[in-house]
Amino acid sequence: MKNFFTLIAILFLFCSCGSQNTTLPNKGKSPSIESNARPKLVVGIVVDQMRYDYLTRFDSKFGDGGFKRMIREGFNCKNNHFNYVPTYTGPGHTSVYTGTTPKYHGIIGNNFYDKEIKEMVYCAGDDSVESVGTAHNAGKMSPHRMQTTTFGDENRLFTQMRGKTIGISLKDRGAILPAGHTANAAYWFHGMDEGLWISSTFYMNDLPQWVKDFNATEKAESYLKEWNTLYDISTYTESGTDENTFEGGFTGKEKATFPYDLKALSKDNRGFDILKATPYGNSLTADFAMEAIKAENLGEDEITDVLAVSFSATDYVGHNFGVNSKEIEDTYIRLDKDLERFFEFLDATVGKGEYTVFLTADHGAIDVPQYLQSMKIPAGYLDNRATKTRFDKYVLAKFNYSKLIENVSNNQIFLNRKYVDSVGLNINDVQERMVNELIGYKNVDKVFSAHTMTTTDFTTGIESLLQNGYSQKRSGDILIVPDPDYISYGLTGSTHGSGLNHDTHVPLLFFGKGIKQGETFDKTVIPDIAPTISALLGISFPNSATGQPLGFVID
């Protein structure tokens, strides 16, 4: 009888455990990955400056083979956000591929102050390398300022360097930072009077023949043509009027209205660089990415390759014309068609069901503050000159020293710490006094000190976002948060950088091999992407990843 009750107890325990396992949430759970289940190619797509609502606002204009195909066949994370500030291009691309935030990967801005050498530096700039494919300095770039690995790096290590990684973008930082430290190549577009895809000696000493051949086709030149709306402009009801006071436009054209003669306008708009601010810049990027897949034999064997593609033209168009413009609507309609032909190319070359794609953005963008004001929404422009004048007077009067401040950039103040110490001041005291002064200034919403960022653990709100973007070694002594929708920018066009939803809420779509079909409103964050792809591939996570694998998207 005792043995009978023991058996019943064991069976009850077994059944209970089995029942519990079926209801456990699987975010963070890494499925077992067989080698033959790995995709032959992972394609990461970053659409520069893509707000989430572009997916829904322009839905009726999209075809079935681009964005809608990803949603129909794949997984749509509808509540995906950046979990840090600043929301800029360099930090955004880096966070997508490293699975962490600027606090750890070190790319705290596109340009940022280097406290060691006492000057501003560019996130991808590297004077130790040379340009390849041009005599211009545009190729003196590398990922050396990025402090962590990407999932592409980890895939290279996992495959004994047999899996390839290539990065492609109109912007150097959009190609270099996603590709990582071990990439076979990164290519970016040098416009001006050349219109060439280039690289640097960090990757190679000479361009591959296929790149030279592509450059020789004068493909870029073919896009110097008329840019008009793809469909009748009267059907573009998802955007504002074509003629308004909220857009920048091109030099040489009186009004920022369709159509645009790009060939004629290129003379006064840095030559081939004009393509970057049109949807044709995205088309050119897709052309080059497809040629790279073919020429580099990406996805042709069972060893996973990685292609990082960033469509940058959307950002240039948004900065120039604003998020509510006819130009931005046409750009996304045309990008959707570029995605369709890109996916069809992948079907034909790599094979349908043999590749995996994710699509996200490096940040969103704000509506033009002038436009928001016209709609009676609080918004405006920061008077940085007046703020600086007032603050300089305060510092001199309060501390009686004129050399306390070393740099002001990216809404941060850098103190001359050695000087502060040499005159007998306490650095924490100086920081807090400055915080208390600045919080009373016009259009300043919040101010925090470096001491606060390193001694207080914030878990919610803008404070948490600031902390995730704060690098103790690289960030400043004072962090300033402007009032919502107040920006440092011109009176036309859109920008980004804040922790507000229009900058943090961006798409996250997965589709292809190993991906479930579905959607979620559960919150996901940008650093979750790299661990998810790593889990799909069964490889190590990037070395400083803080995100969690989204087990619910993996089949």
Side-chain angles (χ1 to χ4, degrees), residues 27 77 79-81 83 95-96 98-100 508 510 522-535 541 545-553:
K27 179 175 178 176
C77 297
N79 189 21
N80 182 63
H81 288 263
N83 61 339
S95 297
V96 168
T98 63
T100 191
L508 177 55
F510 296 89
D522 289 347
K523 186 173 184 178
T524 59
V525 292
I526 287 295
D528 292 338
I529 298 171
T532 301
I533 296 299
S534 296
F541 293 2
T546 53
Q548 297 297 313
L550 304 176
F552 51 76
V553 312

CSV table of all heavy atoms in Angstrom, one decimal, residues 27 77 79-81 83 95-96 98-100 508 510 522-535 541 545-553:
chain,number,residue,atom,x,y,z
A,27,LYS,N,9.3,34.2,-23.3
A,27,LYS,CA,10.2,35.2,-23.5
A,27,LYS,C,11.5,34.9,-22.8
A,27,LYS,O,11.5,34.7,-21.6
A,27,LYS,CB,9.7,36.6,-23.1
A,27,LYS,CG,10.7,37.7,-23.4
A,27,LYS,CD,10.2,39.1,-23.1
A,27,LYS,CE,11.3,40.1,-23.4
A,27,LYS,NZ,10.8,41.5,-23.2
A,77,CYS,N,6.1,42.9,-33.9
A,77,CYS,CA,6.1,43.4,-32.5
A,77,CYS,C,5.7,44.8,-32.5
A,77,CYS,O,6.4,45.7,-32.9
A,77,CYS,CB,7.6,43.3,-32.0
A,77,CYS,SG,8.1,41.6,-31.8
A,79,ASN,N,4.7,47.0,-30.2
A,79,ASN,CA,5.0,47.9,-29.1
A,79,ASN,C,6.5,47.9,-28.8
A,79,ASN,O,7.0,47.7,-27.7
A,79,ASN,CB,4.2,47.5,-27.9
A,79,ASN,CG,4.3,48.5,-26.7
A,79,ASN,OD1,4.7,49.7,-27.0
A,79,ASN,ND2,4.1,48.1,-25.5
A,80,ASN,N,7.3,48.1,-29.9
A,80,ASN,CA,8.8,48.0,-29.8
A,80,ASN,C,9.4,49.4,-29.6
A,80,ASN,O,9.0,50.4,-30.3
A,80,ASN,CB,9.3,47.4,-31.1
A,80,ASN,CG,10.8,47.2,-31.1
A,80,ASN,OD1,11.3,46.5,-30.2
A,80,ASN,ND2,11.5,47.9,-32.0
A,81,HIS,N,10.3,49.5,-28.7
A,81,HIS,CA,10.8,50.9,-28.3
A,81,HIS,C,12.3,50.8,-28.1
A,81,HIS,O,12.9,49.8,-27.8
A,81,HIS,CB,10.2,51.4,-27.0
A,81,HIS,CG,8.8,51.8,-27.2
A,81,HIS,ND1,8.4,53.1,-27.4
A,81,HIS,CD2,7.6,51.0,-27.2
A,81,HIS,CE1,7.1,53.1,-27.4
A,81,HIS,NE2,6.6,51.9,-27.3
A,83,ASN,N,15.1,51.8,-25.6
A,83,ASN,CA,15.0,51.9,-24.1
A,83,ASN,C,16.2,52.8,-23.6
A,83,ASN,O,16.7,52.6,-22.5
A,83,ASN,CB,15.1,50.5,-23.4
A,83,ASN,CG,16.4,49.8,-23.8
A,83,ASN,OD1,17.1,50.1,-24.7
A,83,ASN,ND2,16.7,48.8,-22.9
A,95,SER,N,23.0,49.6,-31.3
A,95,SER,CA,22.2,48.8,-30.3
A,95,SER,C,21.4,47.7,-30.9
A,95,SER,O,21.3,46.6,-30.3
A,95,SER,CB,21.2,49.8,-29.6
A,95,SER,OG,21.9,50.8,-28.9
A,96,VAL,N,21.0,47.9,-32.2
A,96,VAL,CA,20.3,46.8,-32.9
A,96,VAL,C,21.1,45.5,-33.0
A,96,VAL,O,20.7,44.4,-32.7
A,96,VAL,CB,19.8,47.3,-34.3
A,96,VAL,CG1,19.4,46.1,-35.1
A,96,VAL,CG2,18.7,48.3,-34.2
A,98,THR,N,24.3,44.9,-31.4
A,98,THR,CA,25.0,44.4,-30.2
A,98,THR,C,24.1,43.9,-29.1
A,98,THR,O,24.6,43.3,-28.2
A,98,THR,CB,25.9,45.6,-29.6
A,98,THR,OG1,25.0,46.7,-29.1
A,98,THR,CG2,26.8,46.1,-30.6
A,99,GLY,N,22.8,44.3,-29.1
A,99,GLY,CA,21.9,43.8,-28.1
A,99,GLY,C,22.1,44.5,-26.8
A,99,GLY,O,21.7,44.0,-25.8
A,100,THR,N,22.6,45.7,-26.8
A,100,THR,CA,22.8,46.5,-25.6
A,100,THR,C,22.6,48.0,-25.9
A,100,THR,O,22.3,48.4,-27.0
A,100,THR,CB,24.1,46.2,-24.9
A,100,THR,OG1,24.1,46.8,-23.6
A,100,THR,CG2,25.3,46.7,-25.7
A,508,LEU,N,9.3,46.6,-35.5
A,508,LEU,CA,10.1,45.4,-35.4
A,508,LEU,C,9.4,44.2,-36.0
A,508,LEU,O,8.4,43.7,-35.4
A,508,LEU,CB,10.5,45.1,-33.9
A,508,LEU,CG,11.3,43.8,-33.7
A,508,LEU,CD1,12.6,43.8,-34.5
A,508,LEU,CD2,11.6,43.6,-32.2
A,510,PHE,N,9.8,40.4,-38.0
A,510,PHE,CA,10.7,39.2,-38.3
A,510,PHE,C,9.9,38.4,-39.3
A,510,PHE,O,8.7,38.2,-39.2
A,510,PHE,CB,10.9,38.3,-37.0
A,510,PHE,CG,11.7,39.0,-35.9
A,510,PHE,CD1,11.1,39.7,-34.9
A,510,PHE,CD2,13.1,38.8,-35.9
A,510,PHE,CE1,11.8,40.2,-33.9
A,510,PHE,CE2,13.8,39.4,-34.8
A,510,PHE,CZ,13.2,40.1,-33.8
A,522,ASP,N,2.8,43.2,-26.4
A,522,ASP,CA,3.8,43.2,-25.3
A,522,ASP,C,5.0,44.0,-25.7
A,522,ASP,O,5.4,44.0,-26.8
A,522,ASP,CB,4.2,41.8,-25.0
A,522,ASP,CG,3.2,40.9,-24.4
A,522,ASP,OD1,2.1,41.5,-24.0
A,522,ASP,OD2,3.3,39.7,-24.3
A,523,LYS,N,5.5,44.8,-24.7
A,523,LYS,CA,6.6,45.6,-25.0
A,523,LYS,C,7.9,44.9,-25.3
A,523,LYS,O,8.2,43.9,-24.5
A,523,LYS,CB,6.9,46.6,-23.8
A,523,LYS,CG,7.9,47.7,-24.2
A,523,LYS,CD,8.0,48.7,-23.1
A,523,LYS,CE,9.1,49.8,-23.5
A,523,LYS,NZ,9.2,50.9,-22.5
A,524,THR,N,8.5,45.2,-26.4
A,524,THR,CA,9.9,44.7,-26.7
A,524,THR,C,10.8,45.9,-26.8
A,524,THR,O,10.3,47.0,-27.1
A,524,THR,CB,9.9,43.9,-28.0
A,524,THR,OG1,9.4,44.7,-29.1
A,524,THR,CG2,9.0,42.7,-27.9
A,525,VAL,N,12.1,45.7,-26.7
A,525,VAL,CA,13.0,46.8,-26.8
A,525,VAL,C,14.1,46.4,-27.8
A,525,VAL,O,14.4,45.2,-28.0
A,525,VAL,CB,13.6,47.2,-25.4
A,525,VAL,CG1,12.6,47.8,-24.5
A,525,VAL,CG2,14.3,46.0,-24.8
A,526,ILE,N,14.7,47.4,-28.3
A,526,ILE,CA,15.7,47.3,-29.4
A,526,ILE,C,16.8,46.2,-29.0
A,526,ILE,O,17.2,45.4,-29.8
A,526,ILE,CB,16.3,48.6,-29.8
A,526,ILE,CG1,15.3,49.4,-30.6
A,526,ILE,CG2,17.6,48.4,-30.6
A,526,ILE,CD1,15.0,48.8,-32.0
A,527,PRO,N,17.4,46.3,-27.8
A,527,PRO,CA,18.4,45.3,-27.5
A,527,PRO,C,17.9,43.8,-27.5
A,527,PRO,O,18.8,42.9,-27.3
A,527,PRO,CB,18.8,45.7,-26.0
A,527,PRO,CG,18.6,47.2,-26.0
A,527,PRO,CD,17.3,47.3,-26.7
A,528,ASP,N,16.6,43.6,-27.6
A,528,ASP,CA,16.2,42.2,-27.7
A,528,ASP,C,16.5,41.6,-29.0
A,528,ASP,O,16.4,40.3,-29.2
A,528,ASP,CB,14.6,42.1,-27.4
A,528,ASP,CG,14.2,42.5,-26.0
A,528,ASP,OD1,15.1,42.4,-25.1
A,528,ASP,OD2,13.1,42.9,-25.8
A,529,ILE,N,16.7,42.4,-30.0
A,529,ILE,CA,16.9,41.8,-31.4
A,529,ILE,C,18.1,40.9,-31.5
A,529,ILE,O,18.0,39.8,-32.0
A,529,ILE,CB,17.0,43.0,-32.4
A,529,ILE,CG1,15.7,43.8,-32.4
A,529,ILE,CG2,17.2,42.4,-33.8
A,529,ILE,CD1,15.7,45.1,-33.2
A,530,ALA,N,19.3,41.4,-31.1
A,530,ALA,CA,20.5,40.6,-31.3
A,530,ALA,C,20.4,39.3,-30.5
A,530,ALA,O,20.8,38.2,-31.1
A,530,ALA,CB,21.7,41.4,-30.9
A,531,PRO,N,20.0,39.3,-29.3
A,531,PRO,CA,19.8,38.0,-28.6
A,531,PRO,C,18.8,37.0,-29.3
A,531,PRO,O,19.0,35.8,-29.3
A,531,PRO,CB,19.4,38.3,-27.2
A,531,PRO,CG,19.9,39.7,-27.0
A,531,PRO,CD,19.7,40.4,-28.4
A,532,THR,N,17.8,37.6,-29.9
A,532,THR,CA,16.8,36.8,-30.6
A,532,THR,C,17.4,36.1,-31.8
A,532,THR,O,17.3,34.9,-32.0
A,532,THR,CB,15.6,37.6,-31.0
A,532,THR,OG1,15.0,38.2,-29.9
A,532,THR,CG2,14.6,36.8,-31.7
A,533,ILE,N,18.2,36.8,-32.6
A,533,ILE,CA,18.8,36.2,-33.7
A,533,ILE,C,19.9,35.3,-33.3
A,533,ILE,O,20.1,34.2,-33.9
A,533,ILE,CB,19.5,37.3,-34.6
A,533,ILE,CG1,18.4,38.2,-35.2
A,533,ILE,CG2,20.3,36.7,-35.7
A,533,ILE,CD1,17.3,37.5,-36.1
A,534,SER,N,20.6,35.6,-32.2
A,534,SER,CA,21.6,34.7,-31.7
A,534,SER,C,21.0,33.4,-31.2
A,534,SER,O,21.5,32.3,-31.5
A,534,SER,CB,22.4,35.3,-30.5
A,534,SER,OG,23.1,36.5,-30.9
A,535,ALA,N,19.8,33.4,-30.6
A,535,ALA,CA,19.1,32.2,-30.1
A,535,ALA,C,18.7,31.4,-31.3
A,535,ALA,O,18.8,30.2,-31.3
A,535,ALA,CB,17.9,32.6,-29.3
A,541,PHE,N,25.5,35.0,-27.5
A,541,PHE,CA,25.0,36.3,-27.6
A,541,PHE,C,26.2,37.3,-27.7
A,541,PHE,O,27.3,37.0,-27.2
A,541,PHE,CB,24.2,36.7,-26.3
A,541,PHE,CG,22.9,35.9,-26.1
A,541,PHE,CD1,22.6,34.9,-27.0
A,541,PHE,CD2,22.1,36.2,-25.1
A,541,PHE,CE1,21.4,34.2,-26.9
A,541,PHE,CE2,20.9,35.5,-24.9
A,541,PHE,CZ,20.6,34.5,-25.8
A,545,ALA,N,25.6,41.9,-24.4
A,545,ALA,CA,24.1,42.0,-24.6
A,545,ALA,C,23.3,42.1,-23.3
A,545,ALA,O,23.6,41.3,-22.4
A,545,ALA,CB,23.6,40.8,-25.4
A,546,THR,N,22.4,43.0,-23.2
A,546,THR,CA,21.5,43.1,-22.1
A,546,THR,C,20.1,42.8,-22.4
A,546,THR,O,19.2,42.7,-21.5
A,546,THR,CB,21.6,44.6,-21.5
A,546,THR,OG1,21.3,45.5,-22.6
A,546,THR,CG2,22.9,44.8,-20.9
A,547,GLY,N,19.7,42.7,-23.7
A,547,GLY,CA,18.4,42.3,-24.1
A,547,GLY,C,18.1,40.9,-23.9
A,547,GLY,O,19.0,40.1,-23.6
A,548,GLN,N,16.9,40.5,-24.1
A,548,GLN,CA,16.5,39.1,-23.9
A,548,GLN,C,15.9,38.5,-25.2
A,548,GLN,O,15.3,39.2,-26.0
A,548,GLN,CB,15.3,39.0,-22.9
A,548,GLN,CG,15.7,39.5,-21.5
A,548,GLN,CD,16.8,38.6,-20.9
A,548,GLN,OE1,16.7,37.4,-21.0
A,548,GLN,NE2,17.9,39.2,-20.3
A,549,PRO,N,16.2,37.2,-25.5
A,549,PRO,CA,15.7,36.6,-26.7
A,549,PRO,C,14.2,36.6,-26.7
A,549,PRO,O,13.6,36.2,-25.7
A,549,PRO,CB,16.3,35.2,-26.8
A,549,PRO,CG,16.7,35.0,-25.3
A,549,PRO,CD,17.0,36.3,-24.7
A,550,LEU,N,13.5,36.9,-27.8
A,550,LEU,CA,12.1,36.9,-27.9
A,550,LEU,C,11.7,35.5,-28.3
A,550,LEU,O,11.4,35.3,-29.5
A,550,LEU,CB,11.6,38.0,-28.8
A,550,LEU,CG,12.1,39.4,-28.5
A,550,LEU,CD1,11.6,40.4,-29.6
A,550,LEU,CD2,11.5,39.9,-27.1
A,551,GLY,N,11.6,34.6,-27.4
A,551,GLY,CA,11.3,33.2,-27.7
A,551,GLY,C,9.9,33.1,-28.4
A,551,GLY,O,9.8,32.1,-29.2
A,552,PHE,N,9.0,34.0,-28.2
A,552,PHE,CA,7.7,33.8,-28.8
A,552,PHE,C,7.7,34.1,-30.3
A,552,PHE,O,6.7,33.8,-31.0
A,552,PHE,CB,6.6,34.7,-28.2
A,552,PHE,CG,7.0,36.2,-28.0
A,552,PHE,CD1,7.0,37.0,-29.1
A,552,PHE,CD2,7.4,36.7,-26.8
A,552,PHE,CE1,7.4,38.4,-28.9
A,552,PHE,CE2,7.8,38.0,-26.6
A,552,PHE,CZ,7.8,38.9,-27.7
A,553,VAL,N,8.8,34.6,-30.9
A,553,VAL,CA,8.8,34.8,-32.3
A,553,VAL,C,9.5,33.7,-33.0
A,553,VAL,O,9.5,33.5,-34.3
A,553,VAL,CB,9.6,36.2,-32.7
A,553,VAL,CG1,9.0,37.3,-31.9
A,553,VAL,CG2,11.1,36.1,-32.6
